[in-house]
Amino acid sequence: QVQLVESGGGLVQPGGSLRLSCVVSGSILDYYGIGWFRQAPGKEREGVSCMSTSDGTTHYADSVKGRFTNSRDNAKNTVYLQMNNLNTEDTAVYYCTYRPAGCESRYLEVWGQGTLVTVSS
């Protein structure tokens, strides 16, 4: 069973930066989708990013393009989300997500417990 543990959330002022981490463990596939989604109170789930390990391509939501960056450290089994120039609309619980069927499918998707990011002055 795949397990994901996120960390790095917290309180930050508008314009600030945070880096989220996600430690991945369990029986992962050679190729899969790995990324993040978020959910703010009263709003629908929003996909943030997804990296395809088959070709290394990462897709980002329009709302975060140019500000957020996905990365991966294979040796540490950890993925990261670097978030720069944060604004109040980025406030949400962020979840790391593992997609065994690839970024294009949510079939058997697994997510972590989430980490709260609060952007406020």
Side-chain angles (χ1 to χ4, degrees), residues 19 68 101:
R19 189 182 75 163
F68 291 9

Side-chain angles (χ1 to χ4, degrees), residues 39-75:
Q39 187 167 29
K43 295 185 177 180
E44 296 181 351
R45 161 179 163 159
E46 177 186 17
V48 175
S49 66
C50 188
M51 175 188 295
S52 175
T53 62
S54 64
D55 59 12
T57 300
T58 301
H59 296 89
Y60 298 94
D62 290 339
S63 59
V64 305
K65 285 182 178 178
R67 299 188 298 120
F68 291 9
T69 303
N70 249 86
S71 63
R72 179 175 62 159
D73 187 331
N74 291 331

Side-chain angles (χ1 to χ4, degrees), residues 15-111:
S17 299
L18 285 174
R19 189 182 75 163
L20 306 183
S21 300
C22 173
V23 179
V24 184
S25 63
S27 301
I28 62 174
L29 301 171
D30 290 336
Y31 302 102
Y32 54 90
I34 187 73
W36 302 82
F37 69 90
R38 65 186 181 184
Q39 187 167 29
K43 295 185 177 180
E44 296 181 351
R45 161 179 163 159
E46 177 186 17
V48 175
S49 66
C50 188
M51 175 188 295
S52 175
T53 62
S54 64
D55 59 12
T57 300
T58 301
H59 296 89
Y60 298 94
D62 290 339
S63 59
V64 305
K65 285 182 178 178
R67 299 188 298 120
F68 291 9
T69 303
N70 249 86
S71 63
R72 179 175 62 159
D73 187 331
N74 291 331
K76 297 181 179 180
N77 296 318
T78 303
V79 296
Y80 305 94
L81 182 66
Q82 178 66 46
M83 306 185 296
N84 298 324
N85 194 25
L86 288 161
N87 57 64
T88 57
E89 295 185 354
D90 295 316
T91 296
V93 177
Y94 285 72
Y95 299 89
C96 183
T97 179
Y98 168 79
R99 296 179 175 178
C103 288
E104 70 279 3
S105 176
R106 294 183 61 186
Y107 180 67
L108 297 180
E109 183 181 44
V110 179
W111 58 91

